[in-house]
Amino acid sequence: MSNVAVIGSQWGDEGKGKIVDWLSEKADVVIRFQGGHNAGHTLVVNNVTYKLKLLPSGIVRKNKISIIGNGVVIDPWALLDEIKQLEKQGIKITNKNLYIAENATLILPLHKELDGIREDSKNTDKIGTTRRGIGPAYEDKVGRRAIRVMDLANKDNLSKRIDMLLFHHNSIRKSLGKKKIDKKKIIRDLEKISKNILKYSKPVWKKIEEFKKKRKKLLFEGAQGILLDIDHGTYPFVTSSNTVAGSAFAGTGCGPGTINYVLGIVKAYTTRVGEGPFPTELKNEIGNKIGIRGKEFGTVTNRKRRCGWFDAVLVKQSCFISGINGIALTKIDVLDQIKDIYVCVGYKLGRKKIDYLPSALKDQFRVRPIYKRFNGWMKTTKGIKKWKDLPENAKKYVSFIKRYCGVKISSISTSPKREDTILLENPLKK
Ligand code: IMP
């Protein structure tokens, strides 16, 4: 089997859960490499529903190793809660099946608070973050003042690190008129949980190398989506990590040759949560219809997702940026009852026609989609498992996406159920 990376290729929420679940059954090791508990997906295994945010999907299956790589930002309290919740559901989590990178950055309550302060402030752009402290934690990582997992192991070191961190945060808080953070309290709070976190901590890069030598099957589980990437997304309306496939290497400590197949998860239409440009957004009845049929509400924050037509320009761009080998197209059944379906195949920027989304935010808001119309199929595709059984108009729609993006369609998902999938190319066998 190949080592596969699963990457959301729009603005997140493409339906990765179902695909990752299917792949994780076959993998030996499932690895998260970026993001934090801003991600969220629901797995249904043997009729039991599991809600995961930070833990890799392999955790709910027996005899799998789950790894949280150094590229992930970890809220230790949220992680322990998630572990507790899963244990209540009968999942066994020990240091034999969960490894956490000792050099991963921690999210502290001060990060969460700062995230909220910024979102509520009238003086900064509201990003519509998940308010989990993701951005402020990554800022501290890059600012070289973050607290990392292994810092919990040494009291003196932790104390020094917290001094550095508070020198920065307390100055910001002072200017915002907020109460100073009490160093003793942070240390006390961290000491209470440090043993429970440290027991999972390992040099995961070394473990991954061992797994590679033993030819174990690795599954890299991306979070969010390529258009939320800190460099390549709709900046500043993005998350604070690199969400592209390339991030899997730096976020775990393995070389680029490790991954043989990048599977891009692509929804048959487009959605986004939070603020920011969205050229094909439908602020009308059709948008509402798609949202209702597609149950487009966030798993982490329960916010209503914005809905729009399929933007082939953006997906093609994502395919290039992430080196996508195959597309897993999801939720095609949501479009079953739409008479005229549109796909964005270019943009107008003023009088110019362009075939990519420009980097300048002003232009991202200004572009007007150029649409190609497709006849809807007006028949149910729910539960279809074979390409030949898809309505002709649905076949035309999918074939166009494949041609336009220049990437094979690996599978088409026709309902939330795992078995309701048309498999065209198995990424595991590439
Ligand atoms: P943050 O990651 O909480 O900083 O949020 C930044 C942006 O990314 C916001 O627009 C969020 O709605 C979006 N975002 C973060 N995580 C996810 C996700 O898992 N799915 C979809 N959007 C997300």
Side-chain angles (χ1 to χ4, degrees):
M1 168 180 147
S2 307
N3 294 331
V4 177
V6 172
I7 306 292
S9 306
Q10 289 151 311
W11 277 293
D13 310 311
E14 297 89 355
K16 287 186 280 289
K18 173 176 156 174
I19 316 279
V20 165
D21 176 36
W22 174 65
L23 291 170
S24 66
E25 191 185 24
K26 278 118 190 144
D28 299 304
V29 185
V30 185
I31 310 166
R32 280 277 311 264
F33 53 88
Q34 49 72 227
H37 63 317
N38 49 347
H41 57 245
T42 306
L43 293 181
V44 184
V45 180
N46 300 331
N47 290 326
V48 185
T49 302
Y50 302 99
K51 294 215 179 279
L52 301 181
K53 294 190 186 103
L54 197 50
L55 288 165
S57 300
I59 203 75
V60 299
R61 297 188 177 277
K62 282 198 181 126
N63 305 322
K64 312 273 172 201
I65 305 286
S66 291
I67 295 185
I68 299 182
N70 55 278
V72 175
V73 280
I74 303 170
D75 178 327
W77 294 276
L79 176 63
L80 293 175
D81 280 351
E82 198 174 322
I83 292 176
K84 212 192 274 168
Q85 183 54 41
L86 288 179
E87 282 177 339
K88 267 195 217 152
Q89 293 184 277
I91 302 293
K92 212 166 165 210
I93 302 176
T94 68
N95 58 0
K96 299 275 183 295
N97 67 342
L98 175 66
Y99 305 168
I100 299 179
E102 52 184 15
N103 50 344
T105 292
L106 295 181
I107 301 181
L108 303 178
L110 57 88
H111 294 124
K112 197 170 154 188
E113 200 190 336
L114 184 58
D115 202 351
I117 292 172
R118 287 184 186 148
E119 283 294 286
D120 293 333
S121 163
K122 290 189 181 65
N123 300 318
T124 57
D125 263 343
K126 186 179 162 69
I127 304 293
T129 73
T130 58
R131 295 173 180 254
R132 299 287 190 270
I134 306 291
Y138 275 118
E139 286 167 36
D140 282 344
K141 172 180 174 172
V142 179
R144 294 168 291 200
R145 56 181 171 263
I147 311 296
R148 306 198 294 172
V149 170
M150 85 282 256
D151 293 325
L152 299 176
N154 182 309
K155 246 182 166 177
D156 292 340
N157 181 50
L158 182 63
S159 167
K160 274 189 212 141
R161 301 290 313 158
I162 291 193
D163 282 337
M164 264 185 78
L165 187 74
L166 293 190
F167 172 71
H168 177 81
H169 279 274
N170 279 335
S171 345
I172 295 178
R173 293 176 68 91
K174 193 172 170 195
S175 69
L176 293 169
K178 298 283 167 193
K179 219 172 115 203
K180 241 174 103 177
I181 301 275
D182 176 8
K183 176 180 171 186
K184 283 200 189 119
K185 181 169 181 336
I186 298 199
I187 294 194
R188 247 190 347 261
D189 290 347
L190 284 174
E191 275 174 355
K192 276 188 211 151
I193 47 118
S194 59
K195 226 170 96 194
N196 285 338
I197 294 291
L198 284 168
K199 70 177 181 195
Y200 302 109
S201 129
K202 292 208 170 37
V204 301
W205 57 271
K206 199 160 177 292
K207 289 286 165 193
I208 293 174
E209 186 57 27
E210 285 167 25
F211 290 133
K212 279 167 65 180
K213 290 219 171 85
K214 290 184 190 154
R215 305 188 75 78
K216 296 287 180 195
K217 298 161 217 148
L218 311 180
L219 175 65
F220 293 81
E221 183 179 358
Q224 292 86 44
I226 296 171
L227 301 170
L228 288 169
D229 183 277
I230 185 74
D231 288 297
H232 298 287
T234 46
Y235 189 92
F237 296 97
V238 290
T239 191
S240 297
S241 62
N242 282 113
T243 56
V244 292
S247 179
F249 312 116
T252 57
C254 67
T258 307
I259 293 173
N260 315 97
Y261 195 98
V262 180
L263 182 66
I265 316 296
V266 173
K267 190 145 49 179
Y269 49 95
T270 315
T271 62
R272 129 161 251 177
V273 250
E275 311 300 316
F278 183 170
T280 61
E281 182 169 13
L282 290 164
K283 292 182 183 162
N284 58 17
E285 258 321 289
I286 299 179
N288 283 339
K289 188 169 164 182
I290 292 176
I292 291 164
R293 274 185 70 90
K295 299 197 173 67
E296 297 296 353
F297 296 90
T299 34
V300 172
T301 55
N302 206 26
R303 286 178 292 175
K304 192 167 178 250
R305 297 179 187 140
R306 299 154 65 192
C307 297
W309 295 124
F310 189 84
D311 192 332
V313 177
L314 284 184
V315 171
K316 186 178 187 173
Q317 195 162 322
S318 291
C319 288
F320 286 167
I321 291 168
S322 246
I324 286 173
N325 300 103
I327 288 175
L329 193 69
T330 63
K331 297 182 107 168
I332 190 144
D333 54 300
V334 172
L335 300 179
D336 281 354
Q337 297 305 326
I338 299 178
K339 199 164 150 265
D340 296 300
I341 302 178
Y342 292 84
V343 171
C344 172
V345 294
Y347 299 124
K348 269 197 187 153
L349 181 62
R351 278 198 222 134
K352 254 185 18 199
K353 275 191 187 168
I354 54 172
D355 62 356
Y356 68 99
L357 189 70
S359 301
L361 185 65
K362 194 167 110 289
D363 292 340
Q364 294 185 351
F365 276 117
R366 263 179 69 211
V367 291
R368 294 282 157 259
I370 301 168
Y371 284 119
K372 179 173 166 63
R373 192 187 70 80
F374 289 82
N375 290 324
W377 38 97
M378 304 302 282
K379 283 182 197 152
T380 182
T381 57
K382 220 176 182 77
I384 290 182
K385 296 174 186 64
K386 291 201 174 110
W387 171 259
K388 71 172 179 49
D389 296 335
L390 273 184
E392 278 313 305
N393 285 346
K395 282 186 190 163
K396 280 186 192 157
Y397 185 72
V398 177
S399 301
F400 178 80
I401 291 173
K402 172 181 159 187
R403 258 196 332 276
Y404 184 96
C405 298
V407 175
K408 283 184 201 156
I409 306 289
S410 146
S411 63
I412 304 166
S413 175
T414 55
S415 103
K417 285 199 202 140
R418 222 173 119 175
E419 57 275 22
D420 293 342
T421 304
I422 303 170
L423 187 63
L424 299 167
E425 174 180 82
N426 189 344
L428 303 171
K429 298 215 169 122
K430 291 311 280 181

